[in-house]
Amino acid sequence: MGLLFEQIDSQPSSLGEITLRRRRIPALGNRDIYEVKLGEEFLMSSMFVEAEVALADLGLAAVNGDDLSVVVGGLGLGYTAEAALRSDRVGELLVVEALDTVIGWHQQEKVPLGQTLNADPRCRYVHGSFFDLAVKEGSGFDPQQPGRLFDAILLDIDHSPRALLNDSNASFYTTDSLQRMARQLRPGGVFALWSNDAPDEDFMVTLNELFTETASHVVAFYNPLQNCESTNTVYVGVTPAA
């Protein structure tokens, strides 16, 4: 058996100290669990990835066509990006990440999915703020092709539209900002959002103002730490068809 705990890397960032750790919990078997922390706050654990995978699956299921151009906002441990790349309908994937340290963990393959993402020619990392690129006129998510449109935008950064990593993110979850982001979607394109919380009725009202089809999917999974079922939410909205 390997070490029960290892701090793989820790670097300062604009949001605070960002840390990558690996641990084993003997009661859960012989598996490595990777964790990302920002300061003292847990951002993600490889123990719970069902909803991150569902974000890609549910988002892509709602969009038609092939050779899809997809944006993932927030790299994390790579589970949403990897799930999107499992679909042969995806022709290109841009992963937008504000912290270059997190991109470096994947490029240097310090996390399990780094090798998978690096080896797929459809995948490209974009270092930048998702929230800034989402609302800035005339630029967009792709620095190589400003103003281009996408088939799907999959977002997993904040804990929920109310529980934010940074207070400045609050302005994104408004009708105006979401409408600016939606202009980067093709007709019939999809916006999907992961949330740690239960479905938010007020946020659904906002989505219904902008999208012709909306849904809040509750994703249930077993939580071995609490020996019970936990749930996350995936919101999906489809832009009007041409």
Side-chain angles (χ1 to χ4, degrees), residues 148-209:
R148 67 177 294 197
L149 301 181
F150 298 90
D151 297 292
I153 298 173
L154 314 175
L155 177 58
D156 177 6
I157 295 179
D158 289 315
H159 296 304
S160 78
R162 313 299 170 197
L164 310 174
L165 292 183
N166 191 308
D167 290 342
S168 64
N169 297 349
S171 62
F172 173 76
Y173 301 97
T174 63
T175 302
D176 179 66
S177 292
L178 288 168
Q179 186 174 51
R180 288 171 181 264
M181 179 212 63
R183 291 174 187 157
Q184 298 193 52
L185 287 168
R186 294 191 177 100
V190 168
F191 170 61
L193 170 71
W194 173 90
S195 172
N196 187 59
D197 295 342
D200 184 319
E201 292 185 8
D202 290 338
F203 185 64
M204 284 299 298
V205 169
T206 300
L207 290 180
N208 286 327
E209 293 177 5

Side-chain angles (χ1 to χ4, degrees), residues 104-118:
W105 290 341
H106 286 76
Q107 290 174 328
Q108 299 161 29
E109 300 181 0
K110 293 183 177 180
V111 292
L113 294 181
Q115 184 176 16
T116 300
L117 300 188
N118 295 337

Side-chain angles (χ1 to χ4, degrees), residues 121-142:
R122 297 173 295 165
C123 183
R124 174 156 48 103
Y125 304 115
V126 176
H127 178 214
S129 165
F130 173 90
F131 300 110
D132 290 345
L133 297 176
V135 301
K136 187 175 181 180
E137 298 288 347
S139 57
F141 293 113
D142 189 351

Side-chain angles (χ1 to χ4, degrees), residues 15-118:
L15 299 177
E17 194 80 6
I18 185 83
T19 304
L20 175 65
R21 315 191 313 181
R22 183 199 62 80
R23 71 168 66 243
R24 287 190 177 184
I25 301 175
L28 300 182
N30 188 28
R31 67 183 275 207
D32 288 327
I33 298 167
Y34 287 80
E35 302 168 337
V36 178
K37 291 186 67 180
L38 183 62
E40 294 304 312
E41 184 176 12
F42 279 94
L43 294 187
M44 188 174 182
S45 168
S46 64
M47 189 181 303
F48 314 111
V49 301
E50 289 85 355
E52 285 81 1
V53 171
L55 172 62
D57 292 345
L58 292 168
L60 295 178
V63 64
N64 296 319
D66 295 305
D67 196 25
L68 302 177
S69 296
V70 180
V71 172
V72 168
L75 176 54
L77 290 171
Y79 285 94
T80 299
E82 190 268 344
L85 290 171
R86 290 183 206 166
S87 173
D88 58 11
R89 298 171 60 224
V90 173
E92 182 181 15
L93 181 72
L94 271 60
V95 187
V96 180
E97 173 57 52
L99 301 177
D100 56 356
T101 296
V102 176
I103 294 176
W105 290 341
H106 286 76
Q107 290 174 328
Q108 299 161 29
E109 300 181 0
K110 293 183 177 180
V111 292
L113 294 181
Q115 184 176 16
T116 300
L117 300 188
N118 295 337

